[in-house]
Amino acid sequence: MWKGALTEALAKYNTDRSILFYALATLARDPAPIPRVRYVVHRGFVNDACPEGEECDCLLTTTDLRSAKAEQILEASDAPVEIAWYIAPERRQRHRFPDHKLQGKTSKLDWDRERVRVWNSLSETMQSAFYGPPPGQPSAQVKDMSSNMMANNTNETLPENFALVVIDPKEVDMLDLQHARRTIFVRQEKRTWTSSEVAP
């Protein structure tokens, strides 16, 4: 299925960090709806240590709760988002995740442990950003603040503004541009998937 093809491509080109970036679109209401898109880093799948778990096909990325992105996500429960992911080395493969939902916490997974697991996978540079001023603040006020605040954090707790974004896919549109082959995957009950080939 789609996850197997995606994870295989990521493993095959794991030395190319650029393939971990995908475009994540959300909807801002300012007050009229306005689409917003940015590149984020793929942080794996939920509960990677247990790939057969219920949420194993949910994608993970991270966000700062003080950011505009987080505000747009939190405006509504089950916020719809869309991902566009182009993996050029893998036969110019494109994955699109339309009309996904951001999944909230469930009782079946230790989300605090999952949050720590992802935090520990971040570089020190990425971690330091969560100790700095809010995203979008004028750069003149940002200089050296992140590193100083991180150094002063002696209680070894994660910053409260560090959050996981859990993307719960309902549909995946996978296009192999080299072979002009397009497959639509649709999630069914009990998290099973059906697939159908369509014209590119």
Side-chain angles (χ1 to χ4, degrees):
M1 283 293 172
W2 66 268
K3 184 183 175 184
L6 178 57
T7 54
E8 182 180 343
L10 295 177
K12 184 177 180 180
Y13 300 100
N14 62 353
T15 58
D16 183 355
R17 296 286 296 173
S18 68
I19 67 172
L20 295 177
F21 292 85
Y22 54 74
L24 173 67
T26 56
L27 195 63
R29 304 182 187 279
D30 299 332
I34 300 175
R36 300 294 187 190
V37 65
R38 79 286 293 162
Y39 283 98
V40 298
V41 181
H42 176 60
R43 300 295 179 186
F45 292 88
V46 169
N47 205 10
D48 266 346
C50 184
E52 301 302 322
E54 182 177 325
E55 301 92 353
C56 68
D57 52 9
C58 292
L59 294 85
L60 279 175
T61 187
T62 60
T63 193
D64 189 320
L65 288 177
R66 303 168 298 174
S67 68
K69 173 177 60 180
E71 181 180 346
Q72 293 152 19
I73 290 171
L74 294 171
E75 279 185 337
S77 61
D78 294 330
V81 300
E82 181 158 320
I83 290 174
W85 196 343
Y86 181 59
I87 304 178
E90 185 59 11
R91 302 183 302 277
R92 296 162 63 206
Q93 192 177 101
R94 187 205 73 185
H95 296 255
R96 192 168 68 88
F97 297 71
D99 192 27
H100 287 22
K101 301 295 181 181
L102 296 175
Q103 180 168 291
K105 292 185 178 181
T106 70
S107 60
K108 296 183 179 182
L109 184 66
D110 186 341
W111 285 101
D112 290 331
R113 183 175 180 179
E114 188 75 348
R115 186 166 169 261
V116 171
R117 180 182 72 83
V118 176
W119 173 261
N120 289 336
S121 72
L122 302 182
S123 67
E124 185 174 320
T125 300
M126 283 296 301
Q127 290 179 353
S128 67
F130 290 94
Y131 291 98
Q137 186 165 320
S139 58
Q141 303 176 39
V142 175
K143 187 177 181 181
D144 297 328
M145 288 185 65
S146 296
S147 56
N148 291 339
M149 294 176 72
M150 186 175 181
N152 292 332
N153 181 51
T154 57
N155 57 11
E156 298 183 356
T157 59
L158 273 59
E160 293 183 356
N161 52 301
F162 170 69
L164 300 180
V165 178
V166 182
I167 303 167
D168 189 11
K170 297 190 305 180
E171 180 181 316
V172 180
D173 182 341
M174 188 170 70
L175 175 63
D176 180 345
L177 291 169
Q178 183 177 19
H179 300 100
R181 181 181 303 152
R182 182 181 177 193
T183 308
I184 306 293
F185 299 90
V186 179
R187 197 179 75 196
Q188 307 298 312
E189 293 183 5
K190 298 183 179 179
R191 303 193 78 89
T192 60
W193 292 83
T194 60
S195 63
S196 58
E197 290 199 11
V198 299

